[in-house]
Amino acid sequence: MRLARLWAAMALLFLAAGIVYPTLPLYMSSKGLGSVEIGAVASASALASTAAAVLLGLYSDSIERREALQAAVCAALAGLVPTYALASGFSWFLLLQSAFMSLGGAAMTLSGAVAMDYIAERRGARFGALRTSGAVGWVAGTLAGGYLVERLGHQAAFAASSLAYAAAALLYGLGARSAKRAAAGAAEPASLGASALLLLAAVFAASVSNPAYYTFTPLYIVKELGGSELEASLAFAVTPLAEIPAMVALGALSDRLGRFKVLALCLLAYPLRYGLTGLLRSPAQVIAVQLLHGLTFAGLYVVGSAYLADAAGGATGFALSLFTAAFNLGGVAGGYLLALVQARYGYTSMYLAAAALSSISLPLLLASAALGSRPRAAG
């Protein structure tokens, strides 16, 4: 029953986020913000979100009831989202979006740490199964958000998101009243060990290539390959088909074969995915290649989180927040770098550059595995 409640709570959290995340740039544009201003808001809020996730993750390791903190963050989000109806002007949106993304990013990270508090054995399989709720909630939320905005306007989407955040807060609050974890004290980066830090470096290196998918794939399909906007959207719509089963299957496989072997498979998929994307000339083929998202996101997230939770001991919140930070900061760096390559050399060169950059993650993972296999000195 506890894991079923957590599954529902996580689904509601990602449902709430999915309703509003994709529509906010359009909403800011409707309020008079230009492209440069929207980009500045996005960059600042991404950095604020990363910092907040790390700080709240670290704080959550030092308290007895992590779920109480998660419930409070979700309740704060429920109150914050409706205030978008009052926002106008660049400064207001800069502050509001930074606050929203900070709390939202922290809630998503804490959801993993809360789950790990309940999972002691077969973490790969059980966390993978639990994390499918996020994918289900996100898909439902993005569809619902688009429908609500089109039919009833942004205010209806804000209200629906607020209700979903409130429901998530309620479910997390029910667990906070009945479950108590041992306070571990404030975690320090050194507590993770060199192997875990190298794994985080590998995640960062792989994530530098993420904007090649999230930002440039729709432009590539439409402008370079002559595809339609529907085909561009299909490149995103197909990923849950791979993502949901991959979370369960790869998590379970890592329990049997070991985390590093499965992580190596996931990281190998990065240069394969982007190399094929840049070389294939048919929209349908490019869309099919995006099914590798099951490895490059779902598998990497689930298995990497399970490894870090195992390595961190009581510092689970801090460890998973560092995973989020590595993932986000890699994307921030890659967004600028890949944009420069695309502007100067074109889409094919950009995708090949993304493949080359992401391949750096493999030697980092091998170094991490080598350190992780060394016996610790006694005493």
Side-chain angles (χ1 to χ4, degrees):
M1 288 299 294
R2 291 183 303 178
L3 292 183
R5 177 182 57 78
L6 285 179
W7 196 98
M10 191 181 291
L12 285 166
L13 171 63
F14 280 82
L15 172 72
I19 290 172
V20 292
Y21 271 46
T23 66
L24 287 175
L26 295 174
Y27 181 68
M28 287 186 278
S29 177
S30 72
K31 291 294 184 177
L33 270 66
S35 298
V36 173
E37 291 176 313
I38 293 173
V41 168
S43 296
S45 60
L47 294 174
S49 174
T50 300
V54 172
L55 291 173
L56 283 178
L58 181 60
Y59 173 67
S60 75
D61 291 329
S62 67
I63 61 177
E64 292 182 339
R65 301 183 187 274
R66 200 194 309 266
E67 272 193 275
L69 176 62
Q70 175 73 337
V73 172
C74 290
L77 285 163
L80 185 63
V81 171
T83 64
Y84 274 98
L86 306 174
S88 62
F90 173 72
S91 298
W92 195 336
F93 275 111
L94 181 64
L95 293 174
L96 181 56
Q97 185 77 349
S98 295
F100 173 66
M101 293 296 290
S102 294
L103 291 173
M108 290 179 178
T109 299
L110 287 174
S111 69
V114 169
M116 292 298 183
D117 289 340
Y118 287 92
I119 304 171
E121 298 177 350
R122 297 177 56 226
R123 273 183 161 170
R126 291 179 178 177
F127 182 62
L130 188 59
R131 185 56 180 76
T132 61
S133 62
V136 171
W138 181 263
V139 171
T142 53
L143 293 174
Y147 177 83
L148 287 170
V149 169
E150 182 177 329
R151 296 287 181 173
L152 301 173
H154 286 280
Q155 313 310 322
F158 296 150
S161 176
S162 178
L163 287 173
Y165 275 126
L170 176 62
L171 287 180
Y172 280 118
L174 291 174
R177 292 188 303 174
S178 60
K180 183 169 73 172
R181 57 185 290 275
E188 298 179 1
S191 66
L192 290 177
S195 177
L197 294 176
L198 278 171
L199 173 61
L200 290 168
V203 171
F204 173 86
S207 299
V208 169
S209 66
N210 283 340
Y213 169 62
Y214 291 107
T215 302
F216 293 105
T217 294
L219 299 171
Y220 177 60
I221 289 175
V222 174
K223 293 187 175 183
E224 182 80 4
L225 303 183
S228 66
E229 292 187 7
L230 175 60
E231 288 173 315
S233 67
L234 285 175
F236 292 86
V238 300
T239 54
L241 299 177
E243 184 177 316
I244 293 174
M247 286 180 174
V248 179
L250 294 175
L253 189 65
S254 75
D255 289 333
R256 295 196 300 270
L257 299 183
R259 310 286 188 223
F260 282 110
K261 291 180 180 178
V262 179
L263 285 171
L265 177 65
C266 295
L267 294 178
L268 278 170
Y270 270 88
L272 177 63
R273 177 183 185 178
Y274 293 119
L276 287 174
T277 298
L279 295 174
L280 295 173
R281 310 309 299 169
S282 161
Q285 292 173 330
V286 169
I287 291 167
V289 167
Q290 305 319 310
L291 291 171
L292 287 171
H293 193 74
L295 289 168
T296 59
F297 172 73
L300 180 63
Y301 176 80
V302 168
V303 180
S305 295
Y307 173 79
L308 290 172
D310 292 339
T316 306
F318 180 67
L320 297 192
S321 73
L322 289 182
F323 186 99
T324 299
F327 194 85
N328 289 349
L329 293 176
V332 171
Y336 292 105
L337 179 60
L338 294 176
L340 290 174
V341 175
Q342 191 282 324
R344 177 165 294 189
Y345 301 107
Y347 285 101
T348 296
S349 295
M350 183 208 68
Y351 279 108
L352 295 178
L357 289 168
S358 63
S359 68
I360 297 172
S361 63
L362 291 169
L364 291 170
L365 179 69
L366 292 175
S368 176
L371 287 175
S373 64
R374 289 180 184 176
R376 295 183 179 180

